[in-house]
Amino acid sequence: MSELSLAAGVLVLVVAGPLLGAVLAVADHGHASSRLVGLVTGLIASAVTVLSVTVAGSGTPLTLVLLAGPGLELTLVADGLAVAMVVMTTIVAIAVAGFATSEDRESPQARHPRFWPVWFALWSALHLLFLAGDLLTAYLMLEAIGVAGAALVSLDGRRHTLLAATRYLYAELVASMTVLAGIALIWHQTGSLRFAELGPELSAHPEGWLALGVVTAGLLLKLPLAPVHLWLPAAHAWAPSAVSPILSAVVVKSAFAVLIRLWFLASPGLVTRHGAQLLGSLGVVAIVWGSVVALRSAHLKQLIAYSTVSQLGFLMLLVPLMQAGSADAWRGGVLYAVAHALAKAALLMAAAVIAEDAERPDVEAVIGAVTRRPLAVFAIGVAALSLVGLPPSGGFVGKWYLLVASLRTGQWWWLPPILVGSLLTAGYLLKLLKRAFATDDLATSRPTASPVAGVGAAPEAAAEPADVGFDARGALALALALVTVVIGVRPAALLELIDIGAPLVTGGG
Amino acid sequence: MTIGAALPVLLLATSLVPAIATFFIPERSHRLRTALNVIAAVVKVVLVGALVAGVLYFGLEFEWRAAFLPGIDLVLRADPIPLLFVFLSALLWLTTTVYAVGYLADDGHRSRFFGFFGLCVTATVGVALAGNLVTFLVFYELLTVTTYPLVVHDGTAKARAGGRAYLLYTLTGGALLLLGTVWLHALAGPLEFGQTEVVGALAVNHRTTLTIVFVILIVALGFKAALVPLHGWLPQAMVAPAPVSALLHAVAVVKAGAYGIVRVVHDLFGLPLAQDLGVLMPLTIVAAITIVYGSTRALIQDDLKRRLAYSTVSQLSYIVLGISVVSLSSTTGGLVHLVHQGIMKVTLFYCAGNLGKRGVHRVSEMDGIGRRMPVTMLAFTVAAVGMVGIPPTAGFVTKWYLGLGAAEAGQPWIIGVLALSSALNAAYFLPPVARAWLPPDPGERSEPTGRALAGEPGGWLLLPPVATAVSVLGLGILAGAPLSPLTWAAFIAEELMPS
């Protein structure tokens, strides 16, 4: 009994820890000191570690009913999917917290006072969303995440960021209302909103399909999946450098987690081949669309934002492959989501460091960066390894299982999108890497260099490595990227965790 | 951990650990970096010696495995064919490290260079010792990415264009290799090199699928092995610094492709099945086309390194030709050329690098260079003669066995291809040699100026080509000695032949 209550306490702490951070940050007038941030993140990290070890050790999902009553209930379910997502969120959030405090040290007064409270609240909402055992909690958290995300984007108050944040917020509102309408339909039919209780009640008749379809439509706009992704690139590209990593890495996984939980854990009886194939096809559209725009993009963070659009398409391939009965698809899709989060956050952090140095936002900022910021460039390289899906990286393991699932279910038509999509990914990331190694055209492309400087003299000066000191933020980005390599070398533990409470695994799929 | 499991891991660690350490060495600490890298290379050669001795004299089995994906292990195993490749890569890593120290003496970013250089060799050893296709894939892709920073090391627009071509070709190959690997895995489950009977058993029900998988795998590997028409990156990537080209063309990248083809044919499908599927003859034809095409293109290149690059395209396909013809001598010739081509080509690239240091980049600039740089040009001459296949060099041994094998297999047309190729080899290798040694035509004599007046470069740059050139002769003269690569290749070939 005491073991259970310990686990329950830890589960609560996982959600409440970031909230505590938010409260303390408000009390600190928003200027969260690095000691405060360190203490709170340390607390959360310990709680998440204990939670993941407990769940992985027991091999069964951990369920905790906090409130029970008609219409007002709160259940936390820590199954493999939830714990994997929480671990992913925590790792990314710790890296971003370190990144932001490092920024604060360099320019103490630059941080908006509302940043830390909102940032911690977002973290808490993400944890609660992933652990939510019922649709209503999930919906409320999706709403909270959307509002907090848009608020963080808008903090610097410049015209184009406000515009981007407003579009983000509108999209979130439309999506939320759609999801809510769908949830109402589900409640009307089943009288329950707990994921675990929906299955038998939601029957395969038009009303059930309508409900699932409406919720799904809302979630796809939130995710966002092409072709309704248009709000994402501006919001992610204009967000401050300590916010974009959380948005592109973790926030986009929130709707994904709810979607696959609803489809395959709550109402598997409703999922039809046509619906699953449609979602998979939209995934392919996203892969190609996102990659092609990223390939043509000249703006550094916009390129990375379109990369997110494209990578979300890969995640969507989980749906048709799961529908066809492959447990490998679940492993591949969820692990790919985790690997993408780590790599994408590392990529955005490294890009922010490099762009800040060069004082320009376009891809030419990366020119010659390997001399100025070797750690950040290395981070981009390692992140690229995982995003392209090359071994040894988490991205490789994820793609491996998606490919295995395609072949085992006979749905060979997903093979070309996965492989070609990987090559396109390599194509747009190579745009960054090849510029990083450039030595010859620094004089013409750095705005700081005088345009009349002698062509022969400038590269000489640039070749002399400037002493930038220890690049703490670049090192953080590199450490985060290297986590994907650790996953790629030793994926077994994470794969076993993901299998806990996964659909099809116990059914011998 | 037993010695049998420890040695393969140590072989990887002897380049991985120094490589990572090198990244942290300050740029100015030249001696520390040099000592670390040279000592690591020597230790690796000693370990490979221990490995070979252990297998040959003590009959030890060297295998390390660790769980990777559920049901799939990462396996490193010292089988006979891997020994041949790991032996080559350890030796040439040592000479190339020495050469690179001399070549980059005045260059910036040496810690970065040697760091990636070490990672590249780690990946190559992993490719060599891979005990199954998944392990092979992991290290093969690692090799692709760790080589990229070396190719673009100079950072010039030309280097970046070369690096871009290199990555786009090799990553496409990598994607296909992944497809082939997953497909075979989905068909056969966990599969190790040497379990040809498992794949053979599948052929009863899955003939067409297996044929498709074979073609996918060979095309995938063909990108790195520079089979025509997948060779486009190789002449572009030769803009890399000379030690990188040497490594690229002799041991690491292209050799990994050719070596992969060897393993797919012999250790995955097996000769009987490959013969039964009818996939060997097309492979022979592709190899023959590549041999002639590469030589023809080499003929018209004035840039010395480009000429050498096209020569690599041609020479690599001798390996593919050898293993795709079913006869004892062909297989022997193909396998031994893994070693012979590496040593000859590495010598040529060292020499080209030395010439480049003196401002000589083109064949047309080589008039009379033999008198100013006699040692470099002597090494060049030996290796060039070897490439043409004149006795008593290593190249002769290869061509002799390939020719013999073609006759044994009843495919005399291959001898015609070999003869044509040798004639072309002579036509593009002997003119630079002749220009270097013969007195220049008095009518066109131009006064050498500046750097071109200087003679031989220092010892770090001379020792490696001399050592490898001596090996080219040694491998030819002592081909029949016990422990020679030829003896070893013949032993392997005998095991591989369908009874």
Side-chain angles (χ1 to χ4, degrees):
Chain A
M1 200 61 211
S2 67
E3 244 176 63
L4 190 65
S5 57
L6 172 74
V10 167
L11 205 48
V12 171
L13 192 58
V14 166
V15 177
L19 218 51
L20 176 71
V23 172
L24 291 177
V26 171
D28 206 10
H29 305 291
H31 293 293
S33 65
S34 53
R35 189 185 304 163
L36 186 152
V37 174
L39 272 175
V40 174
T41 50
L43 180 74
I44 302 166
S46 324
V48 169
T49 309
V50 174
L51 174 69
S52 51
V53 169
T54 312
V55 173
S58 73
T60 48
L62 182 70
T63 307
L64 177 68
V65 181
L66 285 178
L67 295 169
L72 182 71
E73 48 182 50
L74 177 56
T75 316
L76 299 185
V77 178
D79 58 3
L81 171 66
V83 176
M85 291 288 122
V86 165
V87 169
M88 165 190 95
T89 309
T90 302
I91 294 176
V92 172
I94 288 174
V96 174
F99 185 87
T101 47
S102 170
E103 277 184 340
D104 286 353
R105 255 197 306 280
E106 282 174 30
S107 42
Q109 295 307 315
R111 184 74 62 203
H112 195 284
R114 274 201 300 264
F115 173 83
W116 283 110
V118 178
W119 190 86
F120 273 118
L122 174 64
W123 189 356
S124 178
L126 283 163
H127 278 183
L128 186 50
L129 171 97
F130 292 131
L131 291 165
D134 61 280
L135 254 176
L136 191 66
T137 311
Y139 161 74
L140 290 171
M141 289 308 112
L142 278 176
E143 188 84 318
I145 291 165
V147 172
L152 286 173
V153 172
S154 71
L155 277 186
D156 76 353
R158 284 180 298 170
R159 196 181 143 73
H160 52 268
T161 45
L162 282 178
L163 207 63
T166 314
R167 279 176 69 184
Y168 179 17
L169 198 61
Y170 281 147
E172 287 290 339
L173 287 177
V174 173
S176 292
M177 282 186 283
T178 317
V179 172
L180 190 60
I183 289 178
L185 283 171
I186 290 177
W187 194 67
H188 175 68
Q189 283 175 65
T190 62
S192 168
L193 289 176
R194 288 179 63 178
F195 287 116
E197 292 169 0
L198 294 180
E201 307 291 332
L202 269 178
S203 47
H205 62 78
E207 205 183 335
W209 281 319
L210 178 69
L212 187 66
V214 172
V215 178
T216 302
L219 290 175
L220 292 185
L221 176 56
K222 260 187 188 296
L223 189 66
L225 187 66
V228 288
H229 63 276
L230 297 170
W231 61 265
L232 179 140
H236 288 203
W238 291 118
S241 51
V243 175
S244 307
I246 289 280
L247 292 182
S248 295
V250 184
V251 169
V252 293
K253 308 291 161 39
S254 57
F256 170 72
V258 175
L259 181 75
I260 60 174
R261 195 177 278 284
L262 186 64
W263 275 52
F264 297 108
L265 281 164
S267 56
L270 269 182
V271 175
T272 62
R273 185 176 168 87
H274 291 301
Q277 292 290 319
L278 176 67
L279 251 60
S281 316
L282 288 177
V284 174
V285 172
I287 292 174
V288 177
W289 190 334
S291 307
V292 170
V293 180
L295 267 174
R296 298 162 55 101
S297 181
H299 185 281
L300 182 54
K301 278 178 82 179
Q302 194 190 46
L303 182 153
I304 301 174
Y306 273 101
S307 156
T308 306
V309 170
S310 162
Q311 297 283 325
L312 291 173
F314 283 103
L315 297 184
M316 228 13 83
L317 299 183
L318 175 151
V319 174
L321 296 170
M322 276 299 289
Q323 188 272 331
S326 168
D328 287 330
W330 187 266
R331 284 182 202 128
V334 176
L335 195 130
Y336 195 78
V338 174
H340 168 257
L342 303 172
K344 185 52 63 69
L347 183 59
L348 277 162
M349 284 157 62
V353 171
I354 289 169
E356 187 190 292
D357 258 6
E359 295 171 3
R360 59 189 297 173
D362 58 357
V363 288
E364 309 303 334
V366 190
I367 287 178
V370 77
T371 316
R372 287 176 283 130
R373 295 280 186 182
L375 290 175
V377 171
F378 212 162
I380 293 181
V382 178
L385 195 73
S386 185
L387 290 170
V388 177
L390 295 175
S393 74
F396 169 75
V397 179
K399 278 192 181 144
W400 171 271
Y401 278 109
L402 288 177
L403 290 169
V404 168
S406 306
L407 281 163
R408 290 241 166 101
T409 57
Q411 297 195 4
W412 53 267
W413 48 90
W414 307 119
L415 298 174
I418 295 174
L419 295 173
V420 174
S422 303
L423 290 177
L424 290 172
T425 309
Y428 60 72
L429 292 173
L430 188 57
K431 277 172 69 176
L432 307 184
L433 284 174
K434 74 170 183 200
R435 283 178 171 80
F437 282 96
T439 54
D440 55 347
D441 41 7
L442 286 161
T444 51
S445 47
R446 300 262 331 250
T448 45
S450 157
V452 288
V455 181
E460 287 297 316
E464 197 65 35
D467 192 22
V468 288
F470 179 64
D471 178 8
R473 286 177 291 159
L476 262 173
L478 178 57
L480 192 57
L482 284 173
V483 177
T484 67
V485 175
V486 173
I487 294 176
V489 174
R490 292 257 165 219
L494 186 55
L495 287 167
E496 280 164 23
L497 178 68
I498 291 171
D499 271 350
I500 295 172
L504 297 176
V505 170
T506 44
Chain B
M1 200 188 274
T2 62
I3 177 107
L7 200 51
V9 176
L10 269 178
L11 272 174
L12 247 72
T14 44
S15 36
L16 180 64
V17 175
I20 293 172
T22 303
F23 281 116
F24 293 97
I25 295 178
E27 197 56 44
R28 291 180 194 85
S29 311
H30 179 57
R31 282 164 185 271
L32 174 64
R33 186 174 45 238
T34 304
L36 179 68
N37 280 278
V38 172
I39 289 170
V42 171
V43 169
K44 190 194 282 297
V45 172
V46 171
L47 286 178
V48 168
L51 189 73
V52 173
V55 171
L56 286 186
Y57 295 116
F58 300 99
L60 294 176
E61 295 224 336
F62 292 98
E63 184 187 272
W64 170 87
R65 61 174 63 230
F68 179 47
L69 304 170
I72 303 175
D73 285 345
L74 283 182
V75 184
L76 299 174
R77 192 167 52 228
D79 283 336
I81 300 180
L83 274 186
L84 204 59
F85 190 27
V86 87
F87 163 77
L88 170 80
S89 60
L91 274 182
L92 293 193
W93 186 40
L94 175 58
T95 57
T96 308
T97 303
V98 171
Y99 186 79
V101 169
Y103 191 85
L104 296 172
D106 310 318
D107 201 273
H109 310 302
R110 276 171 293 176
S111 286
R112 186 179 93 209
F113 180 89
F114 281 101
F116 281 110
F117 195 71
L119 289 180
C120 183
V121 176
T122 311
T124 307
V125 174
V127 164
L129 292 177
N132 59 27
L133 195 54
V134 174
T135 313
F136 181 86
L137 171 73
V138 168
F139 286 107
Y140 191 83
E141 293 289 51
L142 201 61
L143 179 61
T144 303
V145 294
T146 52
T147 311
Y148 175 76
L150 297 176
V151 175
V152 298
H153 182 78
D154 285 343
T156 57
K158 224 175 144 193
R160 281 175 286 142
R164 185 164 174 272
Y166 163 73
L167 259 198
L168 293 183
Y169 272 87
T170 49
L171 286 180
T172 308
L176 286 173
L177 186 63
L178 175 61
L179 175 63
T181 307
V182 175
W183 205 337
L184 201 57
H185 176 77
L187 271 181
L191 186 66
E192 310 228 321
F193 283 142
Q195 296 180 325
T196 48
E197 69 283 352
V198 178
V199 184
L202 286 172
V204 182
N205 292 324
H206 300 281
R207 276 187 74 87
T208 318
T209 318
L210 276 183
T211 309
I212 295 171
V213 170
F214 184 89
V215 172
I216 290 175
L217 288 174
I218 296 297
V219 170
L221 296 161
F223 277 91
K224 272 192 189 156
L227 291 178
V228 170
L230 313 171
H231 66 286
W233 63 274
L234 190 55
Q236 286 197 55
M238 64 81 213
V239 297
V244 177
S245 298
L247 200 70
L248 227 68
H249 285 253
V251 221
V253 176
V254 295
K255 200 50 74 63
Y259 176 74
I261 294 178
V262 172
R263 300 222 79 179
V264 166
V265 171
H266 284 307
D267 285 341
L268 211 55
F269 282 72
L271 271 185
L273 175 60
Q275 208 173 7
D276 181 37
L277 294 175
V279 288
L280 289 179
M281 192 60 189
L283 188 56
T284 312
I285 292 170
V286 170
I289 291 172
T290 307
I291 288 174
V292 176
Y293 176 85
S295 296
T296 315
R297 289 300 301 269
L299 204 54
I300 53 169
Q301 307 299 328
D302 188 30
D303 186 302
L304 183 58
K305 280 178 83 182
R306 272 185 87 85
R307 187 173 287 202
L308 294 181
Y310 276 107
S311 152
T312 304
V313 172
S314 165
Q315 290 281 332
L316 275 172
S317 275
Y318 283 126
I319 300 168
V320 181
L321 183 80
I323 59 145
S324 66
V325 175
V326 187
S327 78
L328 190 59
S329 301
S330 286
T331 310
T332 309
L335 287 172
V336 80
H337 203 52
L338 273 174
V339 177
H340 287 174
Q341 185 270 348
I343 292 181
M344 292 189 289
K345 188 44 67 71
V346 95
T347 312
L348 290 169
F349 269 104
Y350 292 152
C351 296
N354 285 355
L355 293 172
K357 283 272 172 194
R358 295 287 172 260
V360 176
H361 298 284
R362 300 180 166 277
V363 175
S364 54
E365 296 165 348
M366 288 175 71
D367 287 342
I369 195 78
R371 271 170 303 158
R372 290 210 309 279
M373 302 173 73
V375 182
T376 299
M377 282 318 297
L378 207 58
F380 186 93
T381 306
V382 169
V385 164
M387 283 291 188
V388 179
I390 297 170
T393 57
F396 167 72
V397 176
T398 303
K399 286 190 181 171
W400 173 262
Y401 273 86
L402 287 179
L404 207 61
E408 280 172 19
Q411 300 193 35
W413 64 276
I414 294 174
I415 300 177
V417 172
L418 290 171
L420 175 61
S421 161
S422 296
L424 289 167
N425 290 162
Y428 65 80
F429 269 128
L430 296 185
V433 172
R435 274 173 181 272
W437 294 115
L438 296 179
D441 184 349
E444 311 178 358
R445 181 163 193 166
S446 57
E447 282 305 312
T449 51
R451 278 196 301 175
L453 274 174
E456 292 284 5
W460 290 91
L461 290 172
L462 274 188
L463 207 58
V466 169
T468 49
V470 169
S471 311
V472 171
L473 285 175
L475 290 176
I477 295 166
L478 302 174
L483 277 184
S484 79
L486 179 67
T487 317
W488 192 236
F491 166 74
I492 299 169
E494 216 149 313
E495 303 264 295
L496 292 171
M497 276 305 111
S499 43

